[in-house]
Amino acid sequence: DIKKQKAKCIIGKVGLSKVFLDKSKNNGLLYCDFYCGSLCGRGEFLIIKKINNKWTISHSTMTWIS
């Protein structure tokens, strides 16, 4: 029953790359994509920064959209 319930709630799939950090380990880069159907989705590079011990997205660059 749980598997059937989860299948009803699927909106899309998120994919994340490995996170690449600079030497200070306070700045990073990763790739993220989201698929929500055959002609539905997007991909982008995310620049992240660690501020007050919390990671935030400081910039994003979209690479594709469908």
Side-chain angles (χ1 to χ4, degrees), residues 12-55:
K13 292 184 181 183
V14 174
L16 299 171
S17 72
K18 176 180 176 180
V19 177
F20 297 92
L21 299 174
D22 67 358
K23 288 182 183 183
S24 71
K25 296 188 181 180
N26 289 316
N27 301 290
L29 173 71
L30 70 142
Y31 178 78
C32 174
D33 55 31
F34 175 71
Y35 294 99
C36 45
S38 61
L39 291 175
C40 178
R42 68 187 286 165
E44 57 191 316
F45 285 103
L46 304 174
I47 296 174
I48 56 174
K49 291 188 178 206
K50 194 176 194 181
I51 301 171
N52 295 327
N53 230 18
K54 294 182 181 180
W55 288 100

